[in-house]
């Protein structure tokens, strides 16, 4: 192909015509070598092209990693919201059951939509519909103390919840004060094998919620009983500090362990258990200002 300045060669170095293309082994150019500027320009283009590919690959990996992290973080927060809402629902049902024991004319059940309206404001009902539906499914599938029924409420059929567990006579004295505190088993399956479980504890500090109900605690040394109950449950774990926040409306207790590994063990020992009729929830404290304030 003389017009292009390219010669077709076979293995012996002889010229090959266009009719014998199947014998071509390599090509040679009749044009002299490229100038230094052209070589530099070609090398620069190749370098920029390869660097662009590398940068694009890094950006794609970073975006993908962030998307995976955001997804699992979103799922973790959503699960915490579900459990917090389940806790509130159980509190409403339990309080209603107690009220029915004092008022025999009250219906011993609550319509599910009415419970939702009590706990979620109108402005948040649409955005929290997914959380609410997940909480309802959790109660129906895992909560043995609540029965699902269909009842007529003011002339309309409603799906309702009925609280089945009666107050234990052994936990209340003649004067109505608590005299006995017991660990009563797991409220739900442990999360250490789920996709949302943390591979390790991020901090040695923990926050326990719903450990007590401040409205019914009247004993003089009830914080000491809470303190001792936690240490009894976490026997063998190196707890260096434990504080019962007696003024907390959420029944909070703060625990500081020897290290993060010990905090993970305490988390597994307490999270998801029933204590004195209350479902216990734990979370890791990662806010340094909050940790400094509590400890």
């Amino acid at each position: 192909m003389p017009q292009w300045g390219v010669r077709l060669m076979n293995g012996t170095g002889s010229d090959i015509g266009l009719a014998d293309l199947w014998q071509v082994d390599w090509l040679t150019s009749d044009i002299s070598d490229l100038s230094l500027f052209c070589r530099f320009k070609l090398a620069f283009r190749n370098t920029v092209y390869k660097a662009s590919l590398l940068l694009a690959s890094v950006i794609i990996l970073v975006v993908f990693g962030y998307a995976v992290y955001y997804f699992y973080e979103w799922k973790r927060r959503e699960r915490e919201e579900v459990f917090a809402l389940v806790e509130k629902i159980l509190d409403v049902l339990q309080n209603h059951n107690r009220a029915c024991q004092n008022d025999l004319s009250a219906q011993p059940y609550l319509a599910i939509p009415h419970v939702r309206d009590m706990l979620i404001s109108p402005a948040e009902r649409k955005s929290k519909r997914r959380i609410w539906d997940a909480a309802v499914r959790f109660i129906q599938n895992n909560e043995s103390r609540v029965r699902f029924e269909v009842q007529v409420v003011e002339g309309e059929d409603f799906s309702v919840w009925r609280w089945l567990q009666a107050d234990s006579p052994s936990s209340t004295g003649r004067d109505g004060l608590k005299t006995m505190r017991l660990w009563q088993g797991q409220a739900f399956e442990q999360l250490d094998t789920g996709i949302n479980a943390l591979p390790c504890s991020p901090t040695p500090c923990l926050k326990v919620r719903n450990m007590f109900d401040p409205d019914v605690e009247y004993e003089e040394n009830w914080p000491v009983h809470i303190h001792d109950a936690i240490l009894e449950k976490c026997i063998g774990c190196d707890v260096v500090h434990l504080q019962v926040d007696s003024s907390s409306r959420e029944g909070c207790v703060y625990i500081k362990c020897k290290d993060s590994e010990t905090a993970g063990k305490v988390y597994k020992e307490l999270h998801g258990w029933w204590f004195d009729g209350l479902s216990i929830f734990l979370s890791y404290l990662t806010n340094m200002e909050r940790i400094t304030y509590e400890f």
Side-chain angles (χ1 to χ4, degrees):
M1 293 179 288
Q3 68 273 23
W4 293 345
V6 177
R7 297 168 58 189
L8 309 179
M9 312 293 292
N10 61 12
T12 61
S14 303
D15 291 336
I16 300 297
L18 294 177
D20 299 321
L21 290 178
W22 60 275
Q23 296 181 357
V24 174
D25 291 320
W26 47 281
L27 306 176
T28 185
S29 174
D30 293 334
I31 303 176
S32 61
D33 294 337
L34 296 175
S35 65
L36 180 62
F37 175 77
C38 290
R39 291 180 180 180
F40 176 78
K41 184 177 180 180
L42 182 60
F44 178 77
R45 286 180 179 177
N46 290 336
T47 302
V48 170
Y49 175 74
K50 294 178 180 179
S52 299
L53 288 179
L54 178 61
L55 180 61
S57 301
V58 171
I59 292 175
I60 292 174
L61 289 176
V62 170
V63 172
F64 178 76
Y66 179 79
V68 172
Y69 169 80
Y70 178 81
F71 172 76
Y72 284 119
E73 182 68 12
W74 172 72
K75 294 292 291 184
R76 182 187 65 80
R77 292 181 180 178
E78 182 182 76
R79 196 174 186 86
E80 289 183 353
E81 287 188 52
V82 170
F83 288 140
L85 185 56
V86 167
E87 176 186 341
K88 293 179 180 179
I89 293 172
L90 297 180
D91 286 342
V92 169
L93 296 177
Q94 191 173 18
N95 291 335
H96 180 73
N97 179 68
R98 291 171 180 169
C100 290
Q101 293 177 4
N102 298 326
D103 183 6
L104 298 180
S105 63
Q107 297 293 345
Y109 50 78
L110 284 174
I112 296 178
H114 295 174
V115 178
R116 178 202 61 198
D117 296 345
M118 293 168 60
L119 299 176
I120 304 178
S121 64
E124 295 179 319
R125 286 172 193 166
K126 184 176 181 180
S127 60
K128 291 191 175 182
R129 181 175 180 179
R130 178 187 177 93
I131 304 297
W132 172 259
D133 291 342
V136 172
R137 289 194 299 269
F138 180 87
I139 291 176
Q140 292 179 355
N141 296 331
N142 301 277
E143 185 52 68
S144 62
R145 299 173 301 168
V146 178
R147 185 170 66 194
F148 175 82
E149 301 176 357
V150 176
Q151 297 285 348
V152 177
V153 180
E154 296 184 358
E156 295 186 25
D157 290 338
F158 278 93
S159 298
V160 302
W161 280 320
R162 183 193 296 266
W163 184 265
L164 300 180
Q165 185 183 41
D167 291 338
S168 174
S170 63
S171 63
T172 306
R174 292 181 179 179
D175 54 358
L177 304 183
K178 292 189 175 182
T179 59
M180 186 176 183
R181 300 176 186 274
L182 297 173
W183 292 99
Q184 300 159 323
Q186 290 178 293
F188 50 84
E189 183 181 357
Q190 290 289 344
L191 304 178
D192 54 351
T193 58
I195 62 173
N196 297 318
L198 295 176
C200 60
S201 171
T203 170
C205 301
L206 298 165
K207 177 181 179 180
V208 185
R209 291 187 296 111
N210 208 37
M211 192 67 197
F212 56 86
D213 184 353
D215 293 330
V216 299
E217 299 293 352
Y218 301 104
E219 295 179 344
E220 182 179 356
N221 295 323
W222 68 264
V224 177
H225 299 160
I226 299 294
H227 181 280
D228 294 343
I230 292 179
L231 292 182
E232 179 184 357
K233 185 70 171 65
C234 299
I235 188 170
C237 299
D238 196 350
V239 176
V240 298
H241 182 74
L242 194 154
Q243 176 182 339
V244 179
D245 187 359
S246 58
S247 62
S248 170
R249 303 302 303 174
E250 296 182 338
C252 292
V253 178
Y254 297 92
I255 303 175
K256 184 176 182 180
C257 302
K258 178 183 178 181
D259 48 37
S260 297
E261 182 180 358
T262 304
K265 295 179 181 178
V266 172
Y267 183 97
K268 294 177 182 179
E269 286 293 332
L270 300 179
H271 185 66
W273 277 75
W274 291 109
F275 175 75
D276 203 24
L278 300 174
S279 180
I280 308 304
F281 295 88
L282 271 74
S283 59
Y284 294 107
L285 281 178
T286 56
N287 187 305
M288 294 306 300
E289 293 183 0
R290 184 66 176 177
I291 293 174
T292 303
Y293 173 79
E294 296 298 343
F295 298 103

